[in-house]
Amino acid sequence: MDRGLYLRFATVVGIALLAVLQLLPTVDAWRLSQRVEGEPEPEPITPAIVSEWFTGRISPGLDIRGGLRLQYEVEVEEYIRDRRDTLSEQLVRKLGVLLEIYGENDADTATRAQLDAVAERVQVATLGDGLRATVTFTGSVPEAFDRDWLRDEGFGELRIVSTSGNVVMLEMREDNLDALRTTAVQQAQHTVEERINTLGIAETTVMARDMDIIVEVPGATEEQFERIRSIISRTARLEFKVLDDDDEAGFVAGLGANLPEGGGISMMMETSSAGEERPNVSVSYLYAPMRDGEESSTPAYQRLHDYVRTLDIPTGHELLLSEVGGPQDRIQNRGWRSYYVFSSANVTGEDVSDAGVAFDPTQGNAPYVSLRFNTRGADRFEELTGRNVKRRMAIVLDDKVFSAPVINQRIGGGNAQITLGGGMGGQEAIAEANDLVVVLKAGALPAPLRPSNEQLIGPTLGHDSVEKGAMGALIGIGLVLILMALYYQVAGLVADVMVVLNVLLLLALMAALGATLTLPGIAAIALTVGMAVDANVLITERIREELRLGKSPRSAVDQGFARAFSSVFDSQITTFIAGIVLFQFGTGPIKGFAVMLMIGIATSLFTGIFCSRVMLDWIVRGLKVERLRVG
C-alpha cells in the first residue's frame, strides 16, 4: 500500500476507536439503568481516564424512560409593564435633576423629602395595563424635556406620543418590544435551567419555544416532581421596601369607612415607629382573618387580595399582603394583613450574591434565610437603612411581605436575613427556606410563568415502546446486512461494515453532544441506515458495471466511485435539505427527528464516500486481489 492509503486507513480506524470510547459511558449508564432495585450496581466497563475525557452520553427521552413534561407560558407583557414601571421610577429621579431640585450625583440616592419635592413639581403615572405613561408638570413643560433629553438620559426605549398643555404622553417604543419579549424568554429559560441544576437532577432538558418554556425531567419521583413544580413557578422577585407609616391620616385610614360589608375584612390598628422623631405612632392596616370551617388561610388571602385590587392606590405606593399566625395559633388569630409601602425598591434580589439556610437559637432554632449582598447591594442596603432608621422595612418576595422589622440602626457589612415560619410548621419552614435559597441563588424570573400544559408520562409506556422500537430497528438492520452480504458478496460485506460504522459514528456524535434519544430519533436512525445502504448499493453497482466491461478491480473501484459520487451526494444533500426544513418549521419530536436525520446523513456521506473507498482500496491495492466479488 502507498503512504496515503496507510494514512487514510489509520484515520478511519482512529475515528472508529474514538467513537467506541465515546460510547462507553453511555453503555455504563444504560447498564446502571437496567439494574433491579436491591441488586448491587454493575461494575463500570469504562476506564477512569476514558470517563474523564469523554463525559457526554446519550440520555433516554421522556417517551422512552417516562417522566414529567411541563410547559409554561412566559408572561412577557408583565415583563414589559415592569420595564415601563422601572423606567417611570427612574424618570422621576432624572426629572428632579432637570427641575434643579438636586444635582446629577444625587439622582440615584435622592431622599424621600427630595422625591416629595419632585412630586410637587411633576407627576409620572403609568396607565393601567398598557404601555403608556403620562408626565404631568405643575407648570409648563420645560423646553429641555424632549426626545433628545430622553435619549441622552438613557430613556431611549420611550418616545413622546403627544403633548397637551402641561401633560406629556410617553409610550414604549414598538421597535424595542420584540427585543424585550425575546430577552424575557431567554432570561426565563436561563433561570429555570439554573434552578434545576441547583436541585442536582440530571438529564433535565429546558427548552424555549416562542413564548413558552418546556421542561422535561426523565425519571424522578412524584416527590421530586412536586418540588420542581413549586420551584419553577416562583418568580422569586426579592425587594426591600420602606413602609409609609407617616400616612396614618391619609390613604389606609380612609379605607375604614368604605370596607365591603360582610366581606370578612376589617380595619386594625397597631403601634409602630415612623422615624427617630416619631417612635410611637398608630398605624392602620387591613386584616382578613380565617373563618370557621376554612382549612387554610388561602380564602382569607383571596378576599383581601381581591379587595386591594379594586383600590386606587396613590402613585408611588403599594398595598402588599403578609400572612399572620401559624398552625399553632387559633383560627381567629390566623389570616392576612396589609402593609402600606413605598413602591420604589433600591435593593432587590439582583444585589444578592449568596444565600443560605441558618437557624436562630434565640427563637427556638427557627430557620431563616441569610443573605449576602454584592458590593453594590451592600452599599445600597447601608444607604437605605441609614436613611430610614427607626422605620419599618418590608422584605418582599413575589409581592408578599415575609417580614417587616424596624431598622434600629444603619446596617453595614452587606448581610440581611429573611425570617420564616409565618403560617408554617417547623419542617415546612425548613423546606421553604431550602427552596427559597435555591430560587434566590438562581435569580429571579424576569416575568411570571403560567403553567399551560403538564404531562406525566408513565415509564411502562416508554419501556414497551423502546423495546418494540429497538427490536424492529435491529431486525430491519439485520435483514438488510444479511441480504447485502448474500447479494453483493465481498462488496456487500464492505457495505455492511460501513453501515455498522455509520450507526457507531451516529451514536457517538449523539453522545458527544449530550443528545436525548427519543422514539422519533430511533426512526431517524433506521432511516439513515437505509440511506447508507442505498449509497453503498449505488457505488457497488457502478463498480460491478466497470468489472463487466473487463476492467481490473483497481480501475473498477476508481471508476465506480467517480461515477457514483454525484448520485450519492445529490440524494443525500436533498434529504439533508428536507431535514433543515423540518427543523425550521417543526416542533418538539419533529425537530428531534430532523436533527438525527441530518447527523445521520453527515455520517452516511463520510462512511459511504470516504471509509468504504478506503476499505475497497485496501482490498484491491493492499491485498492485491485479482478478482473482486461484487455479486
Side-chain angles (χ1 to χ4, degrees):
M1 289 195 293
D2 57 46
R3 188 173 180 180
L5 184 55
Y6 273 120
L7 184 60
R8 287 187 288 145
F9 190 81
T11 301
V12 173
V13 173
I15 290 176
L17 180 61
L18 288 174
V20 171
L21 295 177
Q22 178 64 72
L23 283 175
L24 286 179
T26 299
V27 174
D28 274 334
W30 177 80
R31 292 173 65 226
L32 187 62
S33 68
Q34 298 301 308
R35 180 178 67 92
V36 177
E37 189 173 354
E39 292 183 353
E41 291 187 6
E43 288 294 328
I45 61 174
T46 308
I49 189 171
V50 175
S51 298
E52 292 178 4
W53 281 87
F54 299 93
T55 57
R57 63 179 179 177
I58 301 172
S59 301
L62 287 187
D63 50 358
I64 293 176
R65 187 176 172 183
L68 181 69
R69 185 176 192 273
L70 300 169
Q71 184 168 339
Y72 295 91
E73 182 181 347
V74 183
E75 296 186 7
V76 293
E77 300 308 320
E78 181 73 21
Y79 175 75
I80 293 173
R81 285 194 292 273
D82 284 349
R83 180 61 183 164
R84 177 205 60 181
D85 294 345
T86 301
L87 289 174
S88 297
E89 290 180 10
Q90 294 172 349
L91 184 61
V92 169
R93 295 176 180 275
K94 289 295 184 181
L95 284 171
V97 180
L98 179 66
L99 297 173
E100 298 180 347
I101 296 175
Y102 44 73
E104 179 72 35
N105 294 333
D106 297 329
D108 292 334
T109 58
T111 64
R112 179 54 47 191
Q114 289 174 318
L115 292 176
D116 289 342
V118 175
E120 293 176 359
R121 302 275 300 277
V122 60
Q123 294 280 338
V124 178
T126 55
L127 298 181
D129 292 336
L131 306 176
R132 295 188 172 188
T134 58
V135 181
T136 305
F137 292 91
T138 304
S140 59
V141 178
E143 290 184 6
F145 187 73
D146 55 14
R147 182 181 61 183
D148 294 337
W149 184 87
L150 288 173
R151 184 196 59 217
D152 295 342
E153 296 297 333
F155 300 102
E157 298 172 56
L158 300 175
R159 72 183 184 93
I160 296 176
V161 179
S162 63
T163 301
S164 177
N166 62 339
V167 180
V168 180
M169 177 77 74
L170 300 177
E171 185 181 60
M172 296 285 289
R173 295 178 65 91
E174 200 58 44
D175 50 353
N176 281 331
L177 296 182
D178 288 341
L180 288 174
R181 293 187 179 98
T182 301
T183 300
V185 175
Q186 290 176 341
Q187 289 184 0
Q189 180 187 7
H190 176 72
T191 302
V192 171
E193 285 176 340
E194 288 291 322
R195 293 181 182 181
I196 296 293
N197 291 337
T198 305
L199 291 176
I201 300 176
E203 303 172 4
T204 302
T205 303
V206 181
M207 299 175 287
R209 187 181 65 191
D210 298 330
M211 298 295 115
D212 293 338
I213 300 295
I214 300 171
V215 182
E216 293 185 345
V217 190
T221 63
E222 183 66 30
E223 184 180 353
Q224 288 176 313
F225 290 161
E226 290 298 330
R227 193 178 182 206
I228 289 170
R229 288 192 193 97
S230 171
I231 287 179
I232 289 178
S233 60
R234 291 185 175 201
T235 305
R237 184 179 303 165
L238 178 66
E239 298 168 303
F240 295 83
K241 296 184 175 181
V242 176
L243 274 72
D244 187 2
D245 288 332
D246 290 327
D247 187 67
E248 170 52 19
F251 175 70
V252 180
L255 297 174
N258 300 309
L259 291 177
E261 192 172 338
I265 300 172
S266 57
M267 182 67 70
M268 306 290 284
M269 299 287 291
E270 64 183 341
T271 301
S272 183
S273 174
E276 295 180 274
E277 297 179 356
R278 303 184 63 196
N280 294 295
V281 296
S282 295
V283 181
S284 303
Y285 65 92
L286 300 173
Y287 178 58
M290 284 179 63
R291 289 171 168 169
D292 290 339
E294 292 179 346
E295 297 181 353
S296 72
S297 63
T298 302
Y301 168 78
Q302 201 61 48
R303 287 196 299 275
L304 191 53
H305 178 260
D306 291 345
Y307 172 67
V308 168
R309 290 188 63 181
T310 65
L311 301 176
D312 185 14
I313 300 174
T315 302
H317 291 76
E318 291 177 285
L319 204 54
L320 301 179
L321 307 186
S322 176
E323 189 172 12
V324 294
Q328 72 281 4
D329 295 318
R330 300 175 62 181
I331 286 182
Q332 56 267 36
N333 294 329
R334 296 167 60 188
W336 287 77
R337 59 158 295 172
S338 67
Y339 284 103
Y340 189 57
V341 303
F342 293 107
S343 56
S344 60
N346 285 351
V347 184
T348 68
E350 296 178 356
D351 300 313
V352 174
S353 63
D354 195 14
V357 178
F359 297 89
D360 186 355
T362 64
Q363 299 294 326
N365 281 329
Y368 68 88
V369 176
S370 64
L371 303 175
R372 179 154 192 84
F373 296 111
N374 55 31
T375 303
R376 187 190 72 166
D379 293 341
R380 289 188 172 190
F381 192 70
E382 184 173 359
E383 190 273 335
L384 175 68
T385 54
R387 279 193 290 110
N388 294 282
V389 173
K390 296 300 178 184
R391 290 179 182 272
R392 290 190 293 179
M393 180 179 64
I395 300 174
V396 185
L397 185 68
D398 291 347
D399 293 331
K400 294 179 182 176
V401 178
F402 264 63
S403 57
V406 175
I407 304 170
N408 291 319
Q409 60 184 357
R410 177 186 291 268
I411 303 175
N415 294 303
Q417 66 182 50
I418 301 175
T419 303
L420 301 172
M424 291 179 285
Q427 291 302 317
E428 189 181 1
I430 294 174
E432 172 71 11
N434 283 316
D435 289 353
L436 192 54
V437 168
V438 169
V439 296
L440 288 175
K441 283 186 172 180
L445 285 169
L449 298 181
R450 183 171 59 242
S452 58
N453 191 17
E454 178 179 308
Q455 293 176 301
L456 184 60
I457 302 172
T460 303
L461 174 63
H463 183 68
D464 292 343
S465 299
V466 73
E467 276 195 348
K468 292 177 182 177
M471 182 62 68
L474 288 175
I475 292 175
I477 293 172
L479 289 175
V480 169
L481 295 181
I482 293 172
L483 182 62
M484 289 289 290
L486 293 176
Y487 190 76
Y488 289 113
Q489 300 178 358
V490 174
L493 290 173
V494 172
D496 287 351
V497 173
M498 293 305 109
V499 169
V500 174
L501 181 59
N502 181 44
V503 175
L504 181 67
L505 295 181
L506 174 58
L507 295 176
L509 276 174
M510 288 179 62
L513 296 173
T516 301
L517 181 63
T518 61
L519 290 180
I522 294 176
I525 292 174
L527 179 58
T528 55
V529 167
M531 297 196 65
V533 172
D534 184 56
N536 282 278
V537 167
L538 283 172
I539 294 169
T540 305
E541 286 291 341
R542 300 291 86 79
I543 293 175
R544 186 157 66 172
E545 289 174 3
E546 296 298 325
L547 290 172
R548 285 174 180 168
L549 293 175
K551 295 183 178 177
S552 66
R554 183 170 176 172
S555 176
V557 169
D558 291 341
Q559 292 299 317
F561 270 95
R563 291 178 55 197
F565 177 80
S566 59
S567 299
V568 172
F569 191 78
D570 289 347
S571 64
Q572 303 275 349
I573 288 300
T574 50
T575 309
F576 192 88
I577 293 173
I580 294 176
V581 175
L582 285 175
F583 181 81
Q584 182 67 31
F585 297 101
T587 58
I590 303 297
K591 277 195 172 185
F593 175 83
V595 171
M596 291 299 302
L597 180 64
M598 289 187 287
I599 294 176
I601 290 172
T603 57
S604 178
L605 277 173
F606 176 69
T607 56
I609 294 176
F610 182 78
C611 298
S612 64
R613 176 67 185 271
V614 171
M615 193 165 182
L616 285 170
D617 279 347
W618 173 69
I619 292 173
V620 300
R621 298 186 184 187
L623 300 181
K624 297 180 180 177
V625 298
E626 296 181 356
R627 182 186 175 191
L628 179 62
R629 294 181 180 275
V630 294

